[in-house]
Amino acid sequence: MDYEAYFKGELDTVRDEGRYRIFTEIERRCGKFPNATRYVEDRTEQVTVWCSNDYLGMGQHPEVLQAMHEVLDDCGAGAGGTRNISGTNHHHVVLERELADLHGKEAALLFTSGYVSNWAALGTLAAKMPGCVVFSDALNHASMIEGIRHSRATCRVWRHNDPAHLDELLAEYGPDVPKLVAFESVYSMDGDIAPIAEILDVCEKHGAMSYIDEVHAVGLYGPRGGGVAEREGLMDRITVIEGTLGKAIGVMGGYIAASAALCDFIRTFSSGFIFTTALPPAIAAGATASIRHLKASELERARQRERVATVRRRLDAMGIPHLPNPSHIIPVMVGDAKKAKRISDWLLDNHGIYVQPINYPTVPRGTERLRITPSPVHTDGDVDRLIEALSDIWSQCELARRSAAA
C-alpha cells in the first residue's frame, strides 16, 4: 500500500469539501484580551478574537496570574510525576477541595483536561460495574462518546434533550441492572441547555446514576459559578458533575465532583488518571484563584450576559441568522462549508476579526456556522466592527437574511 498517497488523498477530499482546518497562529497579550497578535508568514497583524473559550477573560485576571507566578517561584515548573508517584502537590489537594465545595460534593478529582476527565470517568464507571448500561444523549461530546466506547458497555442513545425517550429506554431494564445516564448542561455548538430537572426525575424513577458535563457552564452560571445545575438548585441530585478548568476558569485541566467513594473508585481504577503526569502546581494554583474569585464576583458574568444580548440584538437588526438559545454561545448559521471558511478568512484578512468556522464532523453537514462567544472585555467598538464586517461579507456571499420580525 502507498501510505503517503492514501494520507494525501484523504486530505485532498477534506480540502475539496471546504472543511480542511488551518491553524490560526496567534499570541494572546496579557491585559489586552480579546486582542491578540496574529502571525502570518514573515509578518504580524493585530486581531480581535471572537471565538475563544476563555469566556470571562479569566486567563488574564490579575489574581490568577499572581497565584501562578507565586507558585511557579515556590514549586518550579512541573509536578514531577503522576499523582500516585511523587506528583501530588499541596496545590492539587487545595484545588480539589475548592471544586468539591463549588459543586456541593464530598470530593473532586483532577485530570489533565476536560476530555480526559470524561473519557476516564465514564470509561471506568461503565466498564467496572458489571452489566452496566449507559444512556447517552445523542449530541454528547466526543470525549463522552469515546469514554463510553472504551468501556465496551452497552450504550443506548436517547434523542437529544428528550426525557420522555430516555424514560422509554430506561424502562426496558430492570432495577438490578446498573444504569448510567450521561448528558451535558450547555451544548457547545447549538448553545441549547438540557432540561436537567426532568432528566433527573427520569433517572431517579429508574434508579439510574446521573452524569452531567458542565464544561461550558462552570464559572458562567449559578450564584457562585457552579454551572446550570447550581443555578437551578439541582447539584445535590446529580451523581457526577464533570467540568473543565480550561474555559471560563481560564487555565487548564478537567475534573469530576461526586461522593468520596466514587472519586476514590475512579482514582483507584482509572488508567487515564493513574498513568498521567499531574498538572503543574502553578496551573492548579491559578485555577484555585479563578474559582475563588468567581464564587464571590458576579461582575464578569453580568457583563458577559450584557455583551451576549448586545451582539444578538445587533445581529437581529442586520437580519443575520443565528440560533436562538438561552446560553452565551451564538451560532451564526451559514449552512455551507466553503462559504463558512470564506467568511472566516475574509473577516480575518480584511478586518482582523477572528471567528473560526465550524463544520463537519463537529456539526452535521448543511449546518456549518460561525461560533461567536462574546466576553466581558469585548468593547462597543469591537461589537460595531464585528457586525458591520459580518453584514458586508454576508451580502458578498449572497446569503439569506431574516426580517427583523423573524
Side-chain angles (χ1 to χ4, degrees), residues 153-177:
T154 299
C155 180
R156 303 295 303 277
V157 177
W158 46 289
R159 289 189 294 270
H160 177 54
N161 280 350
D162 188 341
H165 188 224
L166 173 63
D167 188 25
E168 292 174 13
L169 296 181
L170 280 165
E172 297 177 13
Y173 298 86
D176 294 332
V177 176

Side-chain angles (χ1 to χ4, degrees), residues 84-98:
N84 284 318
I85 306 177
S86 82
T88 294
N89 188 280
H90 173 66
H91 295 284
H92 298 129
V93 177
V94 171
L95 175 55
E96 287 172 338
R97 290 172 182 164
E98 201 71 42

Side-chain angles (χ1 to χ4, degrees), residues 137-138 158-164 183-185 187 192-195 199:
D137 184 284
W158 46 289
R159 289 189 294 270
H160 177 54
N161 280 350
D162 188 341
F183 62 104
E184 302 180 39
S185 58
Y187 287 83
D192 55 333
I193 294 178
I199 292 170

Side-chain angles (χ1 to χ4, degrees), residues 137 139-140 158-163 183-199 212-214 216-218 220-222 227-232 234 304-305 308 312 323-329 331:
D137 184 284
L139 293 188
N140 274 345
W158 46 289
R159 289 189 294 270
H160 177 54
N161 280 350
D162 188 341
F183 62 104
E184 302 180 39
S185 58
V186 178
Y187 287 83
S188 63
M189 289 300 120
D190 287 351
D192 55 333
I193 294 178
I196 301 174
E198 290 86 346
I199 292 170
I212 190 170
D213 176 318
E214 289 254 43
H216 292 278
V218 171
L220 297 167
Y221 301 90
V228 179
E230 185 199 23
R231 184 187 70 182
E232 299 180 4
L234 299 170
Q304 191 215 32
R305 289 193 295 269
V308 170
R312 287 190 182 279
L323 286 182
N325 63 53
S327 77
H328 58 285
I329 295 165

Side-chain angles (χ1 to χ4, degrees), residues 83-378:
R83 291 290 298 274
N84 284 318
I85 306 177
S86 82
T88 294
N89 188 280
H90 173 66
H91 295 284
H92 298 129
V93 177
V94 171
L95 175 55
E96 287 172 338
R97 290 172 182 164
E98 201 71 42
L99 288 164
D101 174 78
L102 176 65
H103 294 293
K105 297 297 183 184
E106 291 180 337
L109 190 66
L110 282 173
F111 295 85
T112 51
S113 73
Y115 191 105
V116 172
S117 56
N118 269 333
W119 178 86
L122 282 169
T124 302
L125 286 170
K128 294 293 291 184
M129 289 190 294
C132 180
V133 179
V134 183
F135 299 82
S136 179
D137 184 284
L139 293 188
N140 274 345
H141 189 265
S143 59
M144 303 175 79
I145 295 169
E146 287 301 316
I148 296 165
R149 284 176 178 167
H150 178 73
S151 75
R152 299 186 179 180
T154 299
C155 180
R156 303 295 303 277
V157 177
W158 46 289
R159 289 189 294 270
H160 177 54
N161 280 350
D162 188 341
H165 188 224
L166 173 63
D167 188 25
E168 292 174 13
L169 296 181
L170 280 165
E172 297 177 13
Y173 298 86
D176 294 332
V177 176
K179 295 174 281 288
L180 176 61
V181 175
F183 62 104
E184 302 180 39
S185 58
V186 178
Y187 287 83
S188 63
M189 289 300 120
D190 287 351
D192 55 333
I193 294 178
I196 301 174
E198 290 86 346
I199 292 170
L200 294 177
D201 288 343
V202 174
C203 290
E204 291 162 359
K205 174 183 175 182
H206 295 281
M209 300 173 64
S210 52
Y211 182 109
I212 190 170
D213 176 318
E214 289 254 43
V215 297
H216 292 278
V218 171
L220 297 167
Y221 301 90
R224 299 198 308 160
V228 179
E230 185 199 23
R231 184 187 70 182
E232 299 180 4
L234 299 170
M235 292 193 299
D236 61 312
R237 295 175 59 188
I238 300 171
T239 310
V240 182
I241 298 174
E242 185 268 349
T244 184
L245 308 171
K247 292 183 171 62
I249 304 305
V251 193
M252 176 187 177
Y255 65 90
I256 60 168
S259 69
L262 191 149
C263 288
D264 198 19
F265 181 86
I266 301 299
R267 182 188 72 87
T268 302
F269 293 108
S270 172
S271 63
F273 177 85
I274 295 169
F275 298 105
T276 299
T277 298
L279 285 170
I283 296 291
T288 299
S290 179
I291 293 164
R292 286 175 175 170
H293 176 86
L294 291 173
K295 282 180 177 178
S297 174
E298 181 62 20
L299 178 65
E300 292 81 7
R301 289 188 284 273
R303 173 66 174 170
Q304 191 215 32
R305 289 193 295 269
E306 184 278 326
R307 294 286 81 184
V308 170
T310 296
V311 173
R312 287 190 182 279
R313 186 173 62 251
R314 296 288 302 278
L315 288 170
D316 287 338
M318 289 292 186
I320 296 173
H322 57 96
L323 286 182
N325 63 53
S327 77
H328 58 285
I329 295 165
I330 305 178
V332 171
M333 305 306 291
V334 180
D336 180 278
K338 291 182 178 179
K339 286 186 177 180
K341 186 176 188 310
R342 175 186 170 190
I343 292 171
S344 175
D345 290 346
W346 187 88
L347 289 173
L348 190 58
D349 293 338
N350 292 278
H351 292 275
I353 293 171
Y354 177 28
V355 185
Q356 189 70 22
I358 307 295
N359 51 39
Y360 180 83
T362 306
V363 297
R365 299 179 195 273
T367 68
E368 292 82 3
R369 65 199 65 183
L370 306 174
R371 180 179 177 275
I372 296 174
T373 54
S375 77
V377 290
H378 281 101

